[in-house]
Amino acid sequence: QVQLLESGGGLVQPGGSLRLSCIASGFTFSSFAMSWVRQAPGKGPEWVSSINTSGGGFYADSVKGRFTISRDNAKNTLYLQMNSLKPEDMGLYYCARVRTGLVIAGCDYWGQGTQVINSS
């Protein structure tokens, strides 16, 4: 059974940093590209970042230069390092497995999400 479990969210100050993790199980993690997608209250899903099977990362313009995606295939874990956080970065962050080369529609499995909450 494919499972994705996110963690690492919480309350963070603007300008602060947070590292999200996603532990994958039930499939050969190293064979799949992975994505991070977030959803702010009242908004639709927004693609944040993807990483290919070779470790190459791709980022939405809104997070480029501040976020870093990475993976540890030996640990079946996906990461998202978030620095210089802004209020607009708040939301529920999902990790997702990529089946086809589409940032959101191409994802076939999703985690439950981890919440990033900005203090003010």
Side-chain angles (χ1 to χ4, degrees):
Q1 181 80 7
V2 172
Q3 289 193 88
L4 300 169
L5 182 60
E6 302 96 334
S7 63
L11 188 68
V12 64
Q13 299 257 349
S17 297
L18 210 59
R19 191 189 195 194
L20 308 183
S21 299
C22 174
I23 301 174
S25 61
F27 67 100
T28 304
F29 179 72
S30 61
S31 296
F32 289 85
M34 300 291 294
S35 290
W36 287 100
V37 177
R38 69 188 181 189
Q39 187 166 17
K43 295 184 178 180
E46 178 189 15
W47 173 73
V48 176
S49 182
S50 295
I51 187 167
N52 62 28
T53 56
S54 298
F58 305 87
Y59 303 90
D61 288 342
S62 59
V63 306
K64 199 170 298 179
R66 300 187 297 117
F67 290 13
T68 302
I69 190 170
S70 62
R71 65 192 299 160
D72 186 338
N73 289 338
K75 296 180 179 179
N76 287 350
T77 303
L78 176 73
Y79 303 97
L80 185 67
Q81 178 66 49
M82 306 187 296
N83 298 325
S84 301
L85 283 162
K86 303 175 180 180
E88 54 263 39
D89 292 320
M90 76 166 79
L92 190 62
Y93 282 71
Y94 301 92
C95 67
R97 189 180 80 169
V98 178
R99 187 178 67 172
T100 64
L102 297 169
V103 294
I104 296 178
C107 296
D108 59 354
Y109 288 94
W110 299 73
Q112 89 291 342
T114 186
Q115 188 70 241
V116 175
I117 306 168
N118 289 78
S119 61
S120 60

